[in-house]
Amino acid sequence: MNLKQLAAEKAVEYVEDGMRIGLGTGSTAYWAIRKIGERVRAGLSIQAVATSKASEKLAQEEGIPLVPFDQIAGLDLTIDGADELDRELHLIKGGGGALLREKIVAYHSKELIIIADESKFVDKLGSFPLPVEIVPFANEWTMAALEKLGAKPMLRTDGERLFITDNGNYIADCRFGVIEHPAELHAQLLALPGVVDNGLFIGLAARAVIGHQDGTVTVMTPEK
């Protein structure tokens, strides 16, 4: 049983006719895009934007109507995956390298639904290395600044080459250990020159759809 597919197909039930939809990136969002495409071919009328070139390509293959960002003011709903999420629906995202575009799209959505399998749910964030998008210029200094914050950063590679985001930047995968105060760390990272954004998504997710090994799906809202 594909738990990602299970969660994704449940989340797509929230998509309604006439909505403006944000399409996430990654192995879980892949299944959501496939299901949305199936519904579009069955008559669902929506407009969509994609958070990466890969998701844009898949959406086009599925026949999902994409609109330019300058022709749409905001979104009703975005469906995306996460690398980790906690009970407050704080997230670590960016395993697929699209964290900046994903965060922009999530911010401009009325609702962000996260889809994941049960292995992504944790008591506290930090087992998954936190992706931080940095500019190539003086990246050695930015990496040193990340170390001073307590991280063990490593530039992401794609084969023998450095991984390059769709925005032309690098990704530093940072091991902080257990992240006790995600909002505080998020602010500290954004204050570093050279950091474009980071994979901590704080206060953006409205609900999470979780697929379980026993074939069930649960829907979570943030615990306060």
Side-chain angles (χ1 to χ4, degrees), residues 2-180:
N2 189 319
L3 304 188
K4 295 178 179 181
Q5 183 178 0
L6 192 68
E9 293 188 352
K10 175 65 177 177
V12 171
E13 293 178 10
Y14 290 93
V15 178
E16 298 177 1
D17 211 53
M19 277 187 166
R20 299 161 298 171
I21 303 296
L23 305 175
T25 294
S27 59
T28 312
Y30 165 87
W31 292 108
I33 295 172
R34 288 282 303 272
K35 187 64 176 180
I36 290 170
E38 181 183 313
R39 290 190 58 192
V40 165
R41 292 190 296 277
L44 178 71
S45 176
I46 60 167
Q47 293 179 310
V49 298
T51 55
S52 67
K53 294 176 182 177
S55 291
E56 180 179 326
K57 181 176 182 292
L58 178 60
Q60 290 170 337
E61 291 172 354
E62 291 291 325
I64 299 172
L66 298 173
V67 293
F69 284 91
D70 63 358
Q71 295 182 19
I72 192 167
L75 302 171
D76 298 298
L77 177 66
T78 290
I79 299 176
D80 206 348
D83 299 298
E84 281 188 347
L85 68 155
D86 65 15
R87 296 181 187 280
E88 297 174 84
L89 296 195
H90 297 328
L91 317 170
I92 287 182
K93 288 178 52 55
L99 66 94
L100 177 59
R101 296 188 182 197
E102 289 172 336
K103 191 173 285 187
I104 292 171
V105 169
Y107 180 84
H108 292 281
S109 301
K110 293 178 183 177
E111 183 174 5
L112 170 64
I113 296 180
I114 293 299
I115 46 180
D117 65 73
E118 62 184 6
S119 69
K120 304 299 175 64
F121 179 70
V122 296
D123 288 327
K124 292 186 178 181
L125 303 177
S127 294
F128 191 90
L130 176 64
V132 179
E133 186 160 345
I134 66 175
V135 297
F137 175 78
N139 67 86
E140 298 86 353
W141 290 2
T142 307
M143 295 289 280
L146 290 169
E147 288 185 8
K148 288 181 180 178
L149 270 186
K152 294 180 179 178
M154 181 175 294
L155 287 177
R156 187 178 298 182
T157 56
D158 183 7
E160 296 182 357
R161 299 181 179 181
L162 287 175
F163 176 86
I164 306 295
T165 71
D166 285 347
N167 314 303
N169 297 317
Y170 297 159
I171 295 284
D173 289 308
C174 299
R175 292 194 176 276
F176 283 96
V178 174
I179 299 174
E180 296 285 355

